[in-house]
Amino acid sequence: MSVLGNADVAADALHAARMDRMYRTQRHIYDLTRKYYLLGRDRAIRELAAEPGQSILELGCGTGRNLALAGAFFPGCRLYGLDISEEMLISARAKLPSDTVLKAGDASAFASEDFGRPGFDRIMISYALSMIPAWEATIDVAVAALNPGGRLHIVDFGQQEQLPGWFRRMLKAWLARFHVDPRAELASAVRAVAERHGCQSEFRPLYRGYAWSACITKPAA
C-alpha cells in the first residue's frame, strides 16, 4: 500500500467518517434510489467483457451492486472490492458470494498487493471519482494495478454539456448536498494518466453529457 503522511492519514480518516455517517442509513435504500440517476453503470459493466478466471476489482464498490451484476454477466471471474466506508461494506458482504474479497481502504492509496495479487484484469470505477478527494491519484494507482492487457473502466457524472443550463445548475446543487463533485477535468486526466503509463485511452460522453465514460487499456506483455 502507498505510504501516507500524517496529514494524508488524517484527511483519509475524516473522509471515511463522513462517508460512514452518510451511508449508515442510506445504504439500506441506496440501490433502490440510485438506479434512477446513476446512468451508464450497466453499460460499463457489460463492457468489462471479462473471461472466466479473470479478476475484476471495483474501486468504491459500495453496496456491491455492480460487482454482483458483473459476477452474473461474467461467471467464473474472481471478484474484488474496495471502499472507504465500512457501512457500505456491510451491505456488500451480505449481497456478494463468500469468496468475494472485500477490503476497506482509500482508493487513491492502494496496490494490487493489498489483495495478494500481482494485478487485476479489469478495474471499474463507477460514480466514485466524483466523491474521492484525490481522484486523479485514484486513476493513476488503478492503472498501475492492472495486469498487462488489462483495462480500467470509468463512468461518472459529466458536465451535462448538451443539456439545459437550468438542469445543470439544479443537478450540481443537489449533488453537492451528498459531497459529489463532477470532475470537469476527467477527460484530460484520463489522457494524462494513460500517456504516463504508455496506455491507450478512450473517452465518450453519454446521454448528452449527463455522464462520461472512459477506458484505459494497458499494453499486453
Side-chain angles (χ1 to χ4, degrees):
M1 180 173 286
S2 301
V3 177
L4 299 176
N6 291 337
D8 294 322
V9 171
D12 188 42
L14 285 173
H15 183 55
R18 183 186 301 120
M19 294 299 100
D20 276 342
R21 285 195 302 272
M22 183 166 66
Y23 290 126
R24 186 163 291 119
T25 55
Q26 280 195 38
R27 68 182 179 86
H28 299 289
I29 60 170
Y30 185 93
D31 292 342
L32 177 64
T33 57
R34 266 57 174 186
K35 69 179 181 179
Y36 296 108
Y37 63 90
L38 299 187
L39 307 181
R41 293 183 298 171
D42 293 0
R43 176 176 180 167
I45 294 169
R46 290 188 182 94
E47 290 177 350
L48 293 172
E51 299 292 335
Q54 289 190 318
S55 54
I56 301 173
L57 166 68
E58 183 175 17
L59 300 179
C61 64
T63 65
R65 180 263 185 197
N66 293 337
L67 280 175
L69 192 56
F73 284 165
F74 310 114
C77 287
R78 291 160 291 176
L79 304 178
Y80 301 81
L82 180 74
D83 202 281
I84 202 165
S85 171
E86 289 279 8
E87 291 291 333
M88 288 295 245
L89 289 174
I90 293 172
S91 292
R93 292 186 183 103
K95 180 176 301 177
L96 293 164
S98 59
D99 59 352
T100 304
V101 181
L102 298 171
K103 289 184 176 292
D106 179 1
S108 69
F110 88 100
S112 59
E113 290 80 8
D114 300 336
F115 292 86
R117 297 191 54 84
F120 295 93
D121 299 301
R122 302 287 186 270
I123 299 179
M124 173 173 51
I125 312 176
S126 170
Y127 285 93
L129 291 178
S130 52
M131 300 188 73
I132 297 173
W135 64 276
E136 291 168 300
T138 299
I139 300 173
D140 194 80
V141 297
V143 172
L146 288 172
N147 283 328
R151 297 200 305 266
L152 166 64
H153 292 258
I154 298 168
V155 63
D156 212 316
F157 290 106
Q159 294 296 296
Q160 301 80 50
E161 57 270 20
Q162 296 182 41
L163 293 169
W166 64 263
F167 180 84
R168 293 196 301 270
R169 292 189 294 272
M170 180 185 70
L171 178 64
K172 290 180 180 180
W174 183 69
L175 292 175
R177 297 175 56 190
F178 301 96
H179 310 287
V180 177
D181 181 15
R183 307 305 185 185
E185 304 84 9
L186 180 59
S188 58
V190 165
R191 286 194 298 270
V193 171
E195 290 174 3
R196 189 158 55 248
H197 289 270
C199 300
Q200 294 183 336
S201 67
E202 301 174 19
F203 186 88
R204 292 174 296 167
L206 304 174
Y207 317 114
R208 300 177 64 189
Y210 178 91
W212 285 349
S213 171
C215 179
I216 297 176
T217 303
K218 200 167 191 175

